[in-house]
Amino acid sequence: MYFLTGWPRRLLCPLKSEEQPFHVQPSSQRFYFAVLSETQLSVWFSRPSVLIVSYIESAKASSQFGFYQQAEWKQDDSMIAVAAANGYILLFDVVGGGEDKYLYEPVYSKGRRGVKVTPGYKEEQCAPALSLEMKRPMDLEAPITSMLSLQEDLLVSTADGYLHILHWDGISNGRKAISLCSVPFSLDLQSARGGLCLDLKGVYIRDMTYCVTLDGFAVVLNDGRLGFITPLANRITADQLQGVWAADVTDGTCVAVNNKYRLVTFGCASGSVLVYSIDTTTGSMQLSHKLELSPKHYPDVWNKTGAVKLIRWSPDYSVAMVTWECGGLSLWSVFGAHLICTLGEDFAYRSDGSKKDPINISSMSWGAEGYHLWVITSREETELVENMEEAPAQTQQAGILQFHFIKSALTVNPCTSNQEQVLLHGEDRLYLTCGDPAQLPSSSSESPHPHNLPHGGEGSPSSNSTSQGLSTLLGYKHWHVVQIHSTYLESNWPIRFAAIDTAGQCIAVAGRRGFAHYSMSTRKWKLFGNITQEQNMTVTGGLVWWKGFVVVACYNFIDRQEELRLYLRSSNLDNTFSSITKLHSETLLLNVFRDMIILFRADCSICLYSMERRHDGPNPSASVELLQEVSMSRYIPHPALVVSVTLTSVRTETGITLKAPQQACMADSIILNLAGQLIMLQRDRSGPQLQEKLPFCPPVVLAQYVENVWTTCRSNRKKGHLLEALWLSCGEAGMKVWLPLFPRDHRKPHSFLSRRIMLPFHINIYPLAVLFEDALVLGASNETVLYDSLQGPREGRESLEGLFPYCTVERTSQIYLHHILRQLLVRNLGEQALLLAQSCAALPYFPHVMELMVHVVLEEEATSREPIPDPLLPTVAKFITEFPLFLQTIVHCARKTEFALWNYLFAAVGNPKDLFEECLMAQDLDTAASYLIILQNMEVPAVSRQHATLLFNTALEQGKWDLCRHMIRFLKAIGSGEMETPPPTPTTQEPSSTGGFDLFRNRSISLSQSADSIAAGKFNLTKTFSMPSGPSAKGSDRWSKDSDCAENMYIDMMLRRHARHLLEHVRLKELGCFSAQLGFELIGWLCHERTRVARVDDFVMALKCLHKDFLWPFPVIPAGSISSPFKNGHRRTVLSQHLLKSQSADSLLNMDTAPPQAVARNSNHTWLDRLGALGPTEMDTALSHGGPQTQEAFLSPLTNKTEECSIGSATDLTETSSMVDGDWTMVDDNFSTLSLTHSELEHISRELANKGPHKSQVQLRYLLHVFMEAGCLEWCVVIGLILRETTVIKQVVNFLDSPEVPPETVQSVRSGLLGVDAWASTDCLGYKPFLNMIRPQLQKLIETSVEQIQPEAFLPGASNSKLAEPQPAGPSAEDSRGPVLLGLALPLEPPGGLGTEDGGVPEEQEEQAVDEGAYDCTLS
């Protein structure tokens, strides 16, 4: 509502004086302030805050009259009355300086002229020169205790118990005195006629004030009793006064009245403020509420403040400022919402923790429109904070502080309550919460705020508008600050009204005269081009935006006429572009509902107008038509009591009994806030249905103590509960919502059920806006920053920056949905709660809402000292089970609650073991892990271990590696007796434990071997099969160092069992991930399992599984090229022989056992296959050996082609160079030319299509390396087949010659390859070319076997008929699926270095591999 901002400002007094000011009194319009010191009366101006004139009493007169005590202004600011200590009233005339005499004038910069157009224009922006003339003093012959200014009279109370009525002229008609004893006082007006009266002998009035709307005087008597005196006739005479007094109060100290809400506030010696209302029927004083500091928020000062010294209501009567004898300031809203207090936090403590003395205040007053609070500190305070800077000797600082405030636009322009933005205005700037400008959808001026678009026009919900609005309204924590145009401010200060449009893009402000508006998109203000038009109107009833028009209710000074005007935003601000409707009476309030305007007028009538936007000219125009007038004078005692007026579609029957659904959008009710009472007038639809002119039913009171009302004109069937509700802010009581109750599934409603229900709930912020669909309340709060450490105290005095913290205003928001759901459940309206919750289940913070509801109920019930007869927690638990996030909600709430409350919680929601098992069944492993921590604290270790094992196995099966790592630590912690604390966060693993899958993500692994790796066909099997050494040994150490621990053995057993399970089901990809993520020693384990589970029983099935697992397409060949492998065969052989000679010195493999023809062919294909993967060094080595010229001509084009086709670095060569793998159609007579023919391009594209994703290729090569290391030769053959690597097959066949290889392995490889060949001949002809290339190896295997295989099986003349048959797992299926699945990536993100599990790679080879971008994994 009101928020303190910045530091207070100290006002300098230019006159030298030893006296300190102690009293400040504002004029009626608060433009002038009378400041009193003992013998001096000064008048200050408000803007600029400067001293205008000072009257200093002579010593002689001062001794006669006594020191000044208090002052009062006449209503028209023409006179000041000053009460002196010896019972004198001194009257001063305030005389103006004439037409052109100004004390201060603005000085403009060069080239800028001050505008002087209209008479009186200059005095608006200058401080006038005034003089004070003393008239004849009046002696009342008794000390004066209180003064009060009425219209023509001055009311003065004296210490002898008399009430004096003086005329302001001081001469005419003399004066009347009324004895207080002659005024009858009673508890109410009914008992006053013959009942007991108060004895007032020797009693006088200590403080009094007049309430216009109650037409009476609130008084505090010197014995502390409180009273209210009502004149029974127009004139105040002794026999026409009647008083009522408040029972049981005897410690009153001061009084203030709130004219807008008809409240009388009394300060008490106890430190609390009592707020009374006057009962309209009996006239008695009813205690409404109290304003007091709570021990909850201010435990150290709540009862140590001393008596209340002063109460001051703001000019708009929305907040009250209170100060006490012991000092301090505190701000409350009308109905007791506490906003600011300077007795705690940074106001009371320095940054080093030492306590500050509270500021002691002798007098205070609000400035114009409540933007400033003028405070006069007591004498000691003034001396303490006197010098902020070294002041010149001739100036003396007056002890006047100015506190600066910004306030909500709702305080004076309540029509902004139907917006969903917070708008605050200070004296020269605006604060908006319309979100981050960068997040707005467009910079054009026409684009509305995304959050406030009508959901699909007529209420169909839009999918993304809510989330967009949330991001702009919540995700952006700063205010958007707009400086009000200085030209407008100079002549029209103070700003009285401000309004923002629904989209949050346009703002309008109105000051003393005219108005101006601002566009957020263009960042520009629009002012009246004609200054005369601006100065000839003043906004009286507020302003509001409607469809690009500013709607203002104003008074026209030239025509002396009240008018309703609509100005088009996009055109110039000029009366020619406005629509003007003449009104009969002054407008006090206005509001807009869809295309209707509602006006509340000073004659207590309500007018309804319809508006229509027209496009008949070059600019859009608006036409306004009167629909209906409704007189409310029977119900409204005074027009100033109406706080807000709203037109709404809310009604009591919520659309259930309505026949036509379109009526749901009609303006069905008028809602008035009458001095805090919410009154609703509904249309009477029982009689004849006249178009738009329906009579209204008698008013119904909906609620009391209402400060603000929010409603919306939007509709959305899915969120009817929230959009058709009425939201109320009720001060200290929090908020209330008038919620509609809908029958479920369109059933007929129960006759005994109400159509609506009023639900109260408390929130922690002061609400300023309601986001209806998002179930959020937006607000603002004061925050403070200490800067006292920047400047130390100077000569015992502290600066203002040291005494006061710097105040800022923060945006706040709060969820309220859980409060409403809980209130519905308390009232056994679970069905309505379910409907409401289901409509909001898509909100991003809905899980948080559920947690909050469980948490609040649990805290209340579990910590209650008294037994609860009807606990709510079981109901809440049952309610949450309706939603899929039930399990998460319970466990998150439990983990945020202290352990002592867990038993109560799980007694209501169920056994945590059962909930754990439900999570496992629902495959929600993360939630199950949270329940495991609950079980660890509530059950014995054996139960935790059992459940942890279950979860560990499930996590392994699902590949949740992070969870697996947590579970390993958890199980170890249980084993080592660390049950008390949950497992700590995982530590960073050493590089070796990450395995190869992450390391090789962007690396190629080349399986070519250097010449010295295998010595002339000898194969050191024992070394290959030994456990790895080197870097990977650390990983095995990690598992083996605690092997004596039973838990570690238990975990290892589970890990090995899972690895066995994966290998049995041919899930190699998961096996690789498992090894890499959990640091499982795969090579060592495979060595042990080589003759058991690491065998391949069915090569064809394994090949198919790998194709599917790694998204690898089956190879495909065109129908016309079945015989092409032997086309130009002679040419290839000759070339290959040349190649073989050229690299015989460093041959990759010793092929002595193979026939020369086969060796030549094989080496040709091996070399072709490896060409693309060779690094620059290997390529240079291959080319540096001399040879025939034909060989060089043959090599160059291939190298160029490879370079042309390769993209990126050498890292990608393995993927892009696959065009030459197993090349059996490219070599022809024109092979040495540089150009690529059409058929060659086709072949290249086909070969690329036969390759799988690069990531899969890297992973397969890594697995091949692992299986090679472990000696699992069958798996090497399978992976060699899918990669179509002839090198691999050759290596394996050579290894099979070694005596260490068991004969079962030789037999398995032989039968497996034959099986693949048979399957390829019938089902997958794409493999035939590759099988033909490895034919010599097959032949070699067959020759060494006892059983002879017919060579016809390897002939290329396979049946063509099989090609046409559809293959279930064929290339077409893979190709169609390939692009979709290509983006799948393994979830591998463990930290890692460059260590591999290959322990035997020499260092120089590793360095070379890094340089080349490809790993050479060699056999050691």
Side-chain angles (χ1 to χ4, degrees), residues 1172-1184:
L1174 288 177
T1177 317
E1178 292 181 53
M1179 187 68 78
D1180 292 344
T1181 309
L1183 294 178
S1184 62

PDB file of all heavy atoms in Angstrom, residues 1172-1184:
ATOM      1  N   GLY A1172      41.417 -44.447 -45.086  1.00  0.00           N
ATOM      2  CA  GLY A1172      40.836 -43.216 -44.541  1.00  0.00           C
ATOM      3  C   GLY A1172      41.189 -42.978 -43.098  1.00  0.00           C
ATOM      4  O   GLY A1172      41.222 -41.849 -42.638  1.00  0.00           O
ATOM      5  N   ALA A1173      41.454 -44.047 -42.362  1.00  0.00           N
ATOM      6  CA  ALA A1173      41.713 -43.866 -40.940  1.00  0.00           C
ATOM      7  C   ALA A1173      43.172 -43.596 -40.627  1.00  0.00           C
ATOM      8  O   ALA A1173      43.519 -43.352 -39.491  1.00  0.00           O
ATOM      9  CB  ALA A1173      41.249 -45.117 -40.181  1.00  0.00           C
ATOM     10  N   LEU A1174      44.034 -43.685 -41.641  1.00  0.00           N
ATOM     11  CA  LEU A1174      45.452 -43.431 -41.381  1.00  0.00           C
ATOM     12  C   LEU A1174      45.683 -41.964 -41.069  1.00  0.00           C
ATOM     13  O   LEU A1174      45.094 -41.089 -41.673  1.00  0.00           O
ATOM     14  CB  LEU A1174      46.297 -43.826 -42.598  1.00  0.00           C
ATOM     15  CG  LEU A1174      46.455 -45.328 -42.863  1.00  0.00           C
ATOM     16  CD1 LEU A1174      47.257 -45.512 -44.128  1.00  0.00           C
ATOM     17  CD2 LEU A1174      47.143 -46.012 -41.709  1.00  0.00           C
ATOM     18  N   GLY A1175      46.550 -41.723 -40.146  1.00  0.00           N
ATOM     19  CA  GLY A1175      46.930 -40.345 -39.857  1.00  0.00           C
ATOM     20  C   GLY A1175      47.946 -39.862 -40.857  1.00  0.00           C
ATOM     21  O   GLY A1175      48.413 -40.607 -41.721  1.00  0.00           O
ATOM     22  N   PRO A1176      48.321 -38.597 -40.803  1.00  0.00           N
ATOM     23  CA  PRO A1176      49.291 -38.036 -41.757  1.00  0.00           C
ATOM     24  C   PRO A1176      50.628 -38.774 -41.722  1.00  0.00           C
ATOM     25  O   PRO A1176      51.225 -39.035 -42.754  1.00  0.00           O
ATOM     26  CB  PRO A1176      49.460 -36.598 -41.281  1.00  0.00           C
ATOM     27  CG  PRO A1176      48.301 -36.326 -40.400  1.00  0.00           C
ATOM     28  CD  PRO A1176      47.855 -37.619 -39.837  1.00  0.00           C
ATOM     29  N   THR A1177      51.072 -39.173 -40.553  1.00  0.00           N
ATOM     30  CA  THR A1177      52.378 -39.839 -40.481  1.00  0.00           C
ATOM     31  C   THR A1177      52.346 -41.182 -41.191  1.00  0.00           C
ATOM     32  O   THR A1177      53.235 -41.513 -41.974  1.00  0.00           O
ATOM     33  CB  THR A1177      52.758 -40.057 -39.002  1.00  0.00           C
ATOM     34  OG1 THR A1177      52.439 -38.881 -38.283  1.00  0.00           O
ATOM     35  CG2 THR A1177      54.237 -40.354 -38.863  1.00  0.00           C
ATOM     36  N   GLU A1178      51.271 -41.940 -40.913  1.00  0.00           N
ATOM     37  CA  GLU A1178      51.185 -43.257 -41.553  1.00  0.00           C
ATOM     38  C   GLU A1178      51.058 -43.101 -43.063  1.00  0.00           C
ATOM     39  O   GLU A1178      51.617 -43.873 -43.829  1.00  0.00           O
ATOM     40  CB  GLU A1178      49.989 -44.014 -40.990  1.00  0.00           C
ATOM     41  CG  GLU A1178      50.164 -44.398 -39.532  1.00  0.00           C
ATOM     42  CD  GLU A1178      48.972 -45.168 -39.026  1.00  0.00           C
ATOM     43  OE1 GLU A1178      48.611 -46.169 -39.661  1.00  0.00           O
ATOM     44  OE2 GLU A1178      48.388 -44.757 -38.015  1.00  0.00           O
ATOM     45  N   MET A1179      50.309 -42.123 -43.491  1.00  0.00           N
ATOM     46  CA  MET A1179      50.126 -41.904 -44.933  1.00  0.00           C
ATOM     47  C   MET A1179      51.471 -41.589 -45.584  1.00  0.00           C
ATOM     48  O   MET A1179      51.812 -42.122 -46.633  1.00  0.00           O
ATOM     49  CB  MET A1179      49.153 -40.745 -45.148  1.00  0.00           C
ATOM     50  CG  MET A1179      48.772 -40.539 -46.605  1.00  0.00           C
ATOM     51  SD  MET A1179      47.795 -41.894 -47.223  1.00  0.00           S
ATOM     52  CE  MET A1179      46.226 -41.486 -46.521  1.00  0.00           C
ATOM     53  N   ASP A1180      52.220 -40.700 -44.931  1.00  0.00           N
ATOM     54  CA  ASP A1180      53.525 -40.369 -45.497  1.00  0.00           C
ATOM     55  C   ASP A1180      54.416 -41.608 -45.543  1.00  0.00           C
ATOM     56  O   ASP A1180      55.141 -41.842 -46.508  1.00  0.00           O
ATOM     57  CB  ASP A1180      54.217 -39.289 -44.657  1.00  0.00           C
ATOM     58  CG  ASP A1180      53.469 -37.981 -44.774  1.00  0.00           C
ATOM     59  OD1 ASP A1180      52.661 -37.878 -45.722  1.00  0.00           O
ATOM     60  OD2 ASP A1180      53.673 -37.097 -43.927  1.00  0.00           O
ATOM     61  N   THR A1181      54.332 -42.421 -44.510  1.00  0.00           N
ATOM     62  CA  THR A1181      55.151 -43.631 -44.488  1.00  0.00           C
ATOM     63  C   THR A1181      54.772 -44.544 -45.647  1.00  0.00           C
ATOM     64  O   THR A1181      55.626 -45.097 -46.347  1.00  0.00           O
ATOM     65  CB  THR A1181      54.943 -44.371 -43.156  1.00  0.00           C
ATOM     66  OG1 THR A1181      55.119 -43.446 -42.106  1.00  0.00           O
ATOM     67  CG2 THR A1181      55.938 -45.503 -43.018  1.00  0.00           C
ATOM     68  N   ALA A1182      53.471 -44.680 -45.880  1.00  0.00           N
ATOM     69  CA  ALA A1182      53.016 -45.571 -46.953  1.00  0.00           C
ATOM     70  C   ALA A1182      53.447 -45.048 -48.313  1.00  0.00           C
ATOM     71  O   ALA A1182      53.738 -45.805 -49.229  1.00  0.00           O
ATOM     72  CB  ALA A1182      51.516 -45.720 -46.893  1.00  0.00           C
ATOM     73  N   LEU A1183      53.483 -43.736 -48.456  1.00  0.00           N
ATOM     74  CA  LEU A1183      53.810 -43.163 -49.771  1.00  0.00           C
ATOM     75  C   LEU A1183      55.315 -42.994 -49.970  1.00  0.00           C
ATOM     76  O   LEU A1183      55.775 -42.792 -51.076  1.00  0.00           O
ATOM     77  CB  LEU A1183      53.121 -41.805 -49.914  1.00  0.00           C
ATOM     78  CG  LEU A1183      51.586 -41.845 -49.973  1.00  0.00           C
ATOM     79  CD1 LEU A1183      51.065 -40.427 -50.054  1.00  0.00           C
ATOM     80  CD2 LEU A1183      51.090 -42.668 -51.150  1.00  0.00           C
ATOM     81  N   SER A1184      56.079 -43.052 -48.884  1.00  0.00           N
ATOM     82  CA  SER A1184      57.500 -42.738 -49.020  1.00  0.00           C
ATOM     83  C   SER A1184      58.282 -43.913 -49.604  1.00  0.00           C
ATOM     84  O   SER A1184      59.379 -43.728 -50.094  1.00  0.00           O
ATOM     85  CB  SER A1184      58.070 -42.363 -47.659  1.00  0.00           C
ATOM     86  OG  SER A1184      57.958 -43.459 -46.789  1.00  0.00           O
TER      87      SER A1184
END
